[in-house]
Amino acid sequence: MLSTLREVLGYNVRANRVARKMSQEQLGFAAHLDRTFVSQVERARVNISVDNIEKLAKALEVDPSRLFCRPTELERQET
Amino acid sequence: MLSTLREVLGYNVRANRVARKMSQEQLGFAAHLDRTFVSQVERARVNISVDNIEKLAKALEVDPSRLFCRPTELERQET
């Protein structure tokens, strides 16, 4: 289960990135962020700021609020 | 118009706080954050982190994704 907001965000960033068939490198480039930072966000290892969340949402072309929606267990099993 | 994600978040934190008739001091206390920090978040003056966003959402008893939904112009005129 995703317990922290970081984990929910990380899960959603990864799910949206994979759905767009983007690599972490490509997402990092599009969001003007480092690839390793994208990796840390997806693994909930970094306390990301709202400005960087905005950059990722724009690069993923997704509404920022969607990155904070808890995925249902079904969605999690499918990815 | 709210142009940055910080402004959307600040607007929503304030709207939810006022709806619960909480002062900035009370919200700060409930979220284990300083009152001045709450004020800075509401005025989009600080690049708040995901961990602190989680604290505010819990203190406001609102789903974090709600804090990132763009208010309609109607909602903005009513508050």
Side-chain angles (χ1 to χ4, degrees):
Chain A
M1 207 191 90
L2 304 172
S3 55
T4 66
L5 195 57
R6 284 194 198 195
E7 288 170 341
V8 170
L9 178 64
Y11 174 88
N12 286 324
V13 167
R14 185 178 178 285
N16 279 276
R17 174 176 64 77
V18 168
R20 278 164 185 72
K21 299 185 174 48
M22 293 172 86
S23 66
Q24 288 179 336
E25 190 116 31
Q26 289 168 321
L27 176 55
F29 183 77
H32 309 290
L33 296 168
D34 196 83
R35 185 201 68 73
T36 52
F37 184 77
V38 172
S39 168
Q40 288 174 323
V41 170
E42 291 187 357
R43 291 178 294 121
R45 292 287 190 286
V46 66
N47 191 15
I48 186 173
S49 72
V50 62
D51 290 356
N52 283 336
I53 291 166
E54 185 166 34
K55 288 179 188 174
L56 287 174
K58 278 180 181 164
L60 290 167
E61 297 175 332
V62 65
D63 186 274
S65 63
R66 300 287 306 160
L67 294 179
F68 289 99
C69 294
R70 278 186 180 278
T72 59
E73 270 320 298
L74 190 64
E75 284 168 323
R76 290 201 59 217
Q77 283 152 18
E78 283 163 6
T79 49
Chain B
M1 206 188 91
L2 304 172
S3 55
T4 67
L5 194 57
R6 284 195 197 193
E7 289 170 341
V8 172
L9 177 64
Y11 174 88
N12 286 324
V13 167
R14 185 178 178 287
N16 279 276
R17 174 175 64 77
V18 168
R20 280 165 185 71
K21 299 184 174 48
M22 292 171 88
S23 67
Q24 288 180 337
E25 189 118 31
Q26 288 167 323
L27 175 55
F29 182 78
H32 309 290
L33 296 168
D34 196 83
R35 186 202 68 72
T36 52
F37 184 77
V38 171
S39 169
Q40 289 173 322
V41 170
E42 291 187 358
R43 291 177 295 119
R45 292 287 190 285
V46 67
N47 192 13
I48 185 173
S49 73
V50 62
D51 290 356
N52 282 337
I53 292 166
E54 184 166 35
K55 288 179 187 172
L56 287 173
K58 278 180 181 165
L60 290 167
E61 296 175 335
V62 65
D63 185 276
S65 63
R66 301 286 306 161
L67 294 179
F68 288 99
C69 295
R70 277 185 181 282
T72 61
E73 269 321 297
L74 189 65
E75 283 167 323
R76 289 200 60 215
Q77 282 152 16
E78 284 163 4
T79 50

